[in-house]
Amino acid sequence: MAPETVDAVRQVQLPLLAALLLLGAAAKTLSRSEGSGLAVLLPSRLRRPAAFGTGVLELALAVGLLVLTGPWGTVARLGTAALFGGSVVVLVLARRRDPEAGCGCFGGLSRTPIGWRTLVRAGLLAAAALATLGLAPTGWQVAAAPTAAHGWVLGVELLLLALLSPELRDVAARALASEPCELRETSQRRTRARLRSSDVWRTNRPVLLADEPEDEWRHGCWRFQRFDGMRHGRRVDVVFAVRVGGRRRTAVRAVLVDRESGAVSASFGAVTRRELVGPPRRLRSPVEAARRDAARIDAERAAETLRAAREHPAGHEPGERQGTAEVPAQGGGGHDARDSDPGRQPAGG
């Protein structure tokens, strides 16, 4: 092989390795996937910090490959070779620990079980980093002044990486066939952002006694969050349902359940005591339901009971006067006939 071709092969590795490191760093720092690669070997409390730390290291090495030369450039290139070489060992151990785990090389994209292709890819990238030792130009200089030899060498190497990268096959499969919402992954951060930007959340926010949920779980295409609340002088569970995917305007629902009777006092922000017929879109919007509901209640009394519940979240029963041992009789200042019957729900709105 001609010396010019050998130099082109070595030089192309600098921008190529930097690009791969930048992609891996972005995927690891932004992804919430914790069940692959190095995470398999660590306790659960260390998985997220380890993934974030690895992403920061990859970012630093990518910058070093692009802009550093001399002794510091050598350090960056040796560090890159050590990173990819060490990843081969980590992947072998992770594969023995959990044969179904992905490599985690590109965060949540790398969910295919670790196979020989992933191991060969990591080994070749380590060798590519070693091949850059002793080169004068930086990765940025090579990328800024490409030659024809750089172009065909890069094309061949990209084709080889594509053959060794199961992530590309997974991305293509997802693009061609929509993944069922039951299997679609979604982060708690995204769920919370979607919930708190909805009309359903803003409508029911005054009812809540805390900003953080008491419980959270996933069922099928929905994520659920349960909050403690106080409505019309009665303690309620406020359960929000956030759909995974789907249109934004139909993605959030809410149900308010009386804690004493277990009866549903409000559904999706619409107050009703009739059996719900048909899909949720036939109900009133949360804003309209709240407006009609507000016209029926004693605002001063509702504010007083809500304030008392927030001051005494445990041990202070609704209707009990603070500082006294007596509970008003039915129809008195603390309860009305509607609240004294736990099985009766508010009138339809």
Side-chain angles (χ1 to χ4, degrees):
M1 187 179 293
E4 295 81 3
T5 303
V6 174
D7 288 342
V9 171
R10 296 176 63 198
Q11 292 170 3
V12 162
Q13 309 312 314
L14 288 170
L16 179 60
L17 290 172
L20 292 175
L21 288 172
L22 288 173
L23 289 175
K28 289 181 178 67
T29 53
L30 298 178
S31 174
R32 295 288 178 177
S33 178
E34 298 180 352
S36 58
L38 179 62
V40 175
L41 307 176
L42 298 175
S44 57
R45 68 179 185 279
L46 299 178
R47 292 178 179 179
R48 183 59 191 155
F52 185 82
T54 303
V56 172
L57 175 61
E58 289 177 345
L59 176 61
L61 291 174
V63 173
L65 293 178
L66 289 174
V67 302
L68 296 180
T69 187
W72 286 111
T74 301
V75 171
R77 297 167 190 182
L78 284 174
T80 303
L83 176 67
F84 285 116
S87 67
V88 175
V89 178
V90 171
L91 292 175
V92 170
L93 296 176
R95 184 181 182 184
R96 291 178 179 177
R97 175 73 63 84
D98 185 359
E100 298 300 319
C103 73
C105 309
F106 297 97
L109 290 177
S110 303
R111 294 186 294 180
T112 302
I114 300 169
W116 67 269
R117 289 182 176 84
T118 304
L119 296 174
V120 171
R121 181 181 64 183
L124 289 178
L125 292 176
L130 290 175
T132 63
L133 294 175
L135 288 176
T138 64
W140 184 259
Q141 291 171 337
V142 174
T147 64
H150 290 148
W152 72 260
V153 169
L154 180 61
V156 171
E157 194 158 356
L158 288 176
L159 178 60
L160 179 61
L161 287 175
L163 295 174
L164 296 176
S165 300
E167 293 87 356
L168 295 179
R169 182 180 58 190
D170 292 344
V171 169
R174 294 175 197 174
L176 295 176
S178 179
E179 188 177 24
C181 61
E182 293 88 347
L183 305 178
R184 193 175 305 161
E185 291 187 358
T186 183
S187 65
Q188 293 182 355
R189 180 179 60 182
R190 181 176 298 179
T191 299
R192 180 171 298 185
R194 193 166 212 181
L195 169 62
R196 303 199 176 194
S197 63
S198 67
D199 288 341
V200 174
W201 169 266
R202 288 189 290 269
T203 300
N204 292 286
R205 177 62 188 87
V207 177
L208 304 183
L209 300 180
D211 289 332
E212 297 299 323
E214 294 186 338
D215 195 10
E216 185 171 0
W217 67 96
R218 168 80 178 265
H219 181 73
C221 297
W222 297 85
R223 275 188 177 273
F224 295 88
Q225 291 186 350
R226 180 176 62 84
F227 292 79
D228 185 20
M230 173 69 73
R231 179 176 180 275
H232 297 181
R234 302 184 70 86
R235 295 297 284 270
V236 294
D237 285 319
V238 185
V239 182
F240 293 98
V242 183
R243 186 173 176 82
V244 177
R247 294 175 295 178
R248 187 170 294 275
R249 68 182 181 86
T250 62
V252 181
R253 298 284 180 261
V255 171
L256 279 66
V257 181
D258 188 280
R259 285 197 173 183
E260 292 184 10
S261 65
V264 176
S265 58
S267 297
F268 316 126
V271 179
T272 179
R273 68 177 185 179
R274 297 188 299 271
E275 182 179 357
L276 299 180
V277 179
R281 64 176 179 270
R282 294 186 181 180
L283 297 173
R284 293 190 180 93
S285 69
V287 175
E288 173 64 16
R291 185 185 64 79
R292 296 198 177 197
D293 191 35
R296 304 170 43 256
I297 67 173
D298 184 345
E300 183 177 352
R301 176 177 174 275
E304 181 181 354
T305 55
L306 180 61
R307 182 171 57 254
R310 285 175 173 166
E311 293 175 354
H312 304 279
H316 179 65
E317 296 297 331
E320 179 182 348
R321 294 187 181 276
Q322 188 173 0
T324 66
E326 296 182 358
V327 179
Q330 178 177 330
H335 283 286
D336 58 19
R338 179 185 61 197
D339 290 335
S340 62
D341 183 2
R344 184 177 180 181
Q345 301 178 23

